[in-house]
Amino acid sequence: MSEPTPPPRRPLATFLRASAEPTPEAVDAVAPDSEADNNEDNPVVAEAHVEDIEQTEADIDPAPVAVAEPIAPNAAATSAPSFMRAPERAAPTPRWQWALVGGLVVLLSLQIAVADRARLAADAGSRPWIAGLCSVLRCSLPAWQEPAAFSMISRDVRPVPGQPGALQVQASFRNDARWAQAWPSLRLSLSDADGRVIGTRVFAPHDYLDPTADAASVLEPGQSAQIAFRVREPAASTVAFTFEFL
């Protein structure tokens, strides 16, 4: 069986207008008896009207209402491309980390200075502070070497009596440098009457110092020393000699 086709529904506006302005038939049907409001037939008519209202309201589709959804504070920053996002501020580095880095840098600098102290001590500008550093760290420094700071005070070369061909060399010199210096090496050159060098030799500290003297010792600033040693004359024509500090 097919379902019966429902009668066409009247528009809601028409129904409301008809309800607001009752027709004469409706007034005549209600007017004769004022007690008809309580009649059992009237609710049927009222129910019919209510049913029509309910069916009419059901036919009206409510218009969709746009509801704005709350936007998260960081939604725009998250959805934006990476090159458009504002850079995030990094947390500040704790001060103790900077202090630790500074301490490590200082320690590394001290290690480099101590390891390279021989070269630094050979420079007149850096020797004072590297010497102060080694006095605190108890490290040793090589002696200052400045041969030009030695001054010859006296010198003499004479034949040794009773020993032909032997020469007695005597000299005294002073350390005029700002720092203590090790005993220098000496170059002795012998010349003839024409000024020609007939013999030369370099003497290390252990060659001209007394065997009981310490060749590894140093001469303090302003300190003078006297040396004496013998050499063999290369030729009988020796008449002049020169000294040079090395």
Side-chain angles (χ1 to χ4, degrees):
M1 296 178 63
S2 60
E3 296 181 359
T5 304
R9 299 176 181 177
R10 294 180 298 169
L12 179 60
T14 304
F15 175 78
L16 294 176
R17 186 170 54 251
S19 300
E21 299 178 359
T23 58
E25 291 82 2
V27 175
D28 295 339
V30 177
D33 189 2
S34 59
E35 295 180 357
D37 293 338
N38 296 326
N39 196 336
E40 295 180 358
D41 294 337
N42 290 336
V44 176
V45 177
E47 289 179 1
H49 290 295
V50 172
E51 182 179 359
D52 292 340
I53 294 174
E54 292 178 355
Q55 291 178 355
T56 304
E57 291 179 352
D59 293 339
I60 300 175
D61 296 331
V65 179
V67 179
E69 297 181 356
I71 300 176
N74 296 330
T78 305
S79 60
S82 59
F83 62 88
M84 294 181 61
R85 297 176 189 171
E88 297 181 359
R89 297 183 60 184
T93 304
R95 293 183 177 179
W96 66 267
Q97 292 186 4
W98 289 112
L100 179 61
V101 172
L104 292 176
V105 171
V106 172
L107 181 60
L108 180 61
S109 301
L110 292 177
Q111 290 179 346
I112 294 175
V114 171
D116 200 24
R117 64 184 182 276
R119 183 185 64 82
L120 295 174
D123 182 74
S126 59
R127 187 176 180 88
W129 67 265
I130 194 66
L133 178 64
C134 278
S135 64
V136 174
L137 300 180
R138 300 180 181 276
C139 58
S140 60
L141 278 180
W144 178 253
Q145 186 176 4
E146 188 179 359
F150 286 106
S151 299
M152 185 66 72
I153 300 174
S154 64
R155 56 184 182 270
D156 186 22
V157 178
R158 294 183 180 183
V160 178
Q163 295 183 7
L167 299 175
Q168 181 70 25
V169 179
Q170 293 180 348
S172 63
F173 54 87
R174 182 180 62 245
N175 177 26
D176 292 334
R178 298 167 53 189
W179 300 285
Q181 291 199 78
W183 289 86
S185 296
L186 289 174
R187 177 183 287 164
L188 175 62
S189 299
L190 302 176
S191 305
D192 59 10
D194 296 330
R196 294 176 301 182
V197 177
I198 60 177
T200 182
R201 179 182 173 184
V202 175
F203 296 89
H206 64 270
D207 295 327
Y208 61 79
L209 288 178
D210 188 87
T212 60
D214 184 10
S217 61
V218 294
L219 291 172
E220 298 296 331
Q223 183 180 356
S224 60
Q226 294 182 351
I227 60 173
F229 58 96
R230 292 182 178 183
V231 297
R232 183 166 294 277
E233 184 180 11
S237 59
T238 302
V239 296
F241 59 90
T242 57
F243 282 97
E244 184 180 359
F245 295 102
L246 302 178

